[in-house]
């Protein structure tokens, strides 16, 4: 199923450099950013959140999934929301997506879902802004459900 989603502004934190899927580097880098985001209690410090969702965004790809890309974790906010000190903002533009769903125990189910995504024909992938949404369905880490939005042409 493909859907088009409007642009959304996020406030949060980025890696500050590009990571890669080679040699488990992204798992290490992205995991460290999650620890920083959670450990610094960033989500509660963001005023003007549209909801309690947290987005993990893959963007600024140097090519396909085998090439370096940027990573950002943040919460959706209104356009005029002030960015707290130590945080930054990105805007995911309006795009068309295919949605994959990761189900099971966290964080393994998300890693497994990406492994399956990478095995598929990616000729329709846009490699624009791809993201995971962590919402009420992902609260139970033993039985989580995470929507993964893949930008498509």
């Amino acid at each position: 199923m493909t859907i088009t989603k409007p642009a959304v502004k996020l406030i949060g934190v980025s890696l500050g450099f590009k990571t890669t899927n080679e040699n488990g580097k992204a798992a290490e880098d992205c995991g460290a950013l999650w620890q920083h985001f959670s450990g610094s209690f960033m989500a509660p410090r963001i005023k003007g959140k549209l909801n309690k969702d947290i987005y993990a965004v893959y963007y600024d790809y140097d090519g396909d999934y085998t090439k370096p890309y940027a990573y950002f974790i943040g919460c959706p906010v209104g356009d005029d929301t002030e960015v707290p000190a130590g945080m930054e903002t990105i805007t995911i533009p309006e795009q068309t997506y295919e949605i994959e769903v990761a189900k099971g125990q966290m964080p393994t189910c998300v890693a497994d879902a990406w492994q399956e995504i990478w095995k598929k024909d990616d000729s329709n992938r846009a490699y624009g802004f791809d993201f995971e949404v962590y919402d009420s369905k992902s609260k139970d880490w033993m039985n989580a459900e995470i929507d993964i939005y893949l930008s498509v042409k």
Side-chain angles (χ1 to χ4, degrees), residues 30 56-61 69-71 110 114 128-132:
C30 298
V57 187
Y58 306 81
Y59 64 106
D60 198 13
Y61 287 92
Y69 56 87
Y71 186 70
V110 175
W114 279 107
F129 287 72
D130 300 330
F131 58 91
E132 303 151 3

Side-chain angles (χ1 to χ4, degrees), residues 21-93:
N21 292 324
E22 285 183 34
N23 303 319
K25 182 81 173 114
E28 184 181 304
D29 292 340
C30 298
L33 191 64
W34 271 107
Q35 287 182 337
H36 175 60
F37 183 84
S38 301
S40 300
F41 302 101
M42 289 192 176
R45 294 180 19 226
I46 301 169
K47 306 298 180 223
K49 288 191 290 284
L50 299 178
N51 50 47
K52 293 183 177 180
D53 297 355
I54 297 175
Y55 285 46
V57 187
Y58 306 81
Y59 64 106
D60 198 13
Y61 287 92
D62 285 354
D64 65 11
Y65 71 91
T66 64
K67 304 286 189 263
Y69 56 87
Y71 186 70
F72 184 95
I73 300 170
C75 300
V77 296
D79 286 339
D80 56 352
T81 305
E82 194 172 314
V83 180
M87 292 190 219
E88 54 200 297
T89 181
I90 65 169
T91 298
I92 299 172

